[in-house]
Amino acid sequence: MKTLATLLLLLLAVSAAADDTTINTNFDVRLRQEILDGVFHFAPDTDRNWLRTRTRFGVKIENGEHQLSARLCNEFRINLDTDDAFNEDELIFDQLYYQWKNKKTALTIGRQDIIWPGGFLMFEGHPLDGSRSIYHNAIRLQQGGLDIAMISNPMYDDFILYNDQNRQLTDMDEIGFASRFTHKKHQFSLIWKDEDDMSEAISELSTASCG
């Protein structure tokens, strides 16, 4: 992932200096409060009450059929119930991908969001980070009604820009293949996933689902 990320960042810099290039930026902030009252039966009875502030800044560079996208993300927390009041969290790449796209086909390589459809079949790539981000590390091909992706979501992010907290993102390292075909009002999907804990603390698990 580090090699791919470095290559994409280099392409991003080169593309920004090219002729006939369009550069767009975006920024958003999400603020929410979470209160967990007595839900952890195995832990002390103190309430969990914190504010989560997620900030994201993204850049999209487009030149003809080519697009490069990078988005930084940080979600700091202010804990209202403990002495450990502030957690500055990590600065991560929430998106970092290259896309080639024409009227019929799109090929996307890198860290990207994959949402099928509206999040019902596929949505978040790593639930253990508390919905800070939802990306998949993937190669994705979309052509007509066909949408296929090869995905690799490791337990830990190996490309963090600042303040590595060694946060676990999934239960195990995940490798997956996902395919979806749509035609008018009909669709068929097949998702295969292999989960492997390199420490061998948890047994390897392979699952397949179709719809």
Side-chain angles (χ1 to χ4, degrees), residues 36-55:
L36 307 179
D37 184 5
V39 299
F40 293 107
H41 298 290
F42 52 84
D45 291 334
T46 56
D47 294 341
R48 274 72 171 174
N49 182 0
W50 54 71
L51 296 174
R52 296 174 56 176
T53 304
R54 186 189 70 183
T55 56

Side-chain angles (χ1 to χ4, degrees), residues 46-114:
T46 56
D47 294 341
R48 274 72 171 174
N49 182 0
W50 54 71
L51 296 174
R52 296 174 56 176
T53 304
R54 186 189 70 183
T55 56
R56 300 187 302 186
F57 174 77
V59 177
K60 282 189 178 181
I61 299 176
E62 297 179 280
N63 189 316
E65 296 178 340
H66 306 276
Q67 175 182 302
L68 283 162
S69 180
R71 186 169 69 193
L72 299 176
C73 174
N74 170 266
E75 183 183 77
F76 67 83
R77 299 191 181 194
I78 300 175
N79 199 318
L80 304 178
D81 283 338
T82 67
D83 294 333
D84 184 18
F86 178 71
N87 181 352
E88 61 186 324
D89 200 72
E90 302 160 329
L91 180 63
I92 66 168
F93 274 109
D94 183 51
Q95 287 186 355
L96 183 61
Y97 65 81
Y98 162 78
Q99 183 179 76
W100 176 82
K101 184 178 182 179
N102 60 22
K103 293 182 179 180
K104 296 182 179 180
T105 306
L107 175 65
T108 310
I109 302 173
R111 183 165 287 187
Q112 58 191 283
D113 296 344
I114 301 178

Side-chain angles (χ1 to χ4, degrees), residues 111-150:
R111 183 165 287 187
Q112 58 191 283
D113 296 344
I114 301 178
I115 302 174
W116 287 357
F120 181 72
L121 289 178
M122 183 182 297
F123 186 62
E124 185 168 351
H126 38 80
L128 298 187
D129 79 343
S131 74
R132 171 189 61 175
S133 57
I134 63 170
Y135 65 77
H136 296 266
N137 301 306
I139 300 175
R140 183 185 186 188
L141 175 66
Q142 298 164 273
Q143 187 172 43
L146 181 65
D147 190 347
I148 59 176
M150 293 182 292

Side-chain angles (χ1 to χ4, degrees), residues 1 30 33 50 72 74 83 93 124 173 182 186 199 207:
M1 179 61 194
R30 181 185 70 181
Q33 182 177 13
W50 54 71
L72 299 176
N74 170 266
D83 294 333
F93 274 109
E124 185 168 351
D173 291 330
T182 57
H186 306 281
S199 68
T207 57

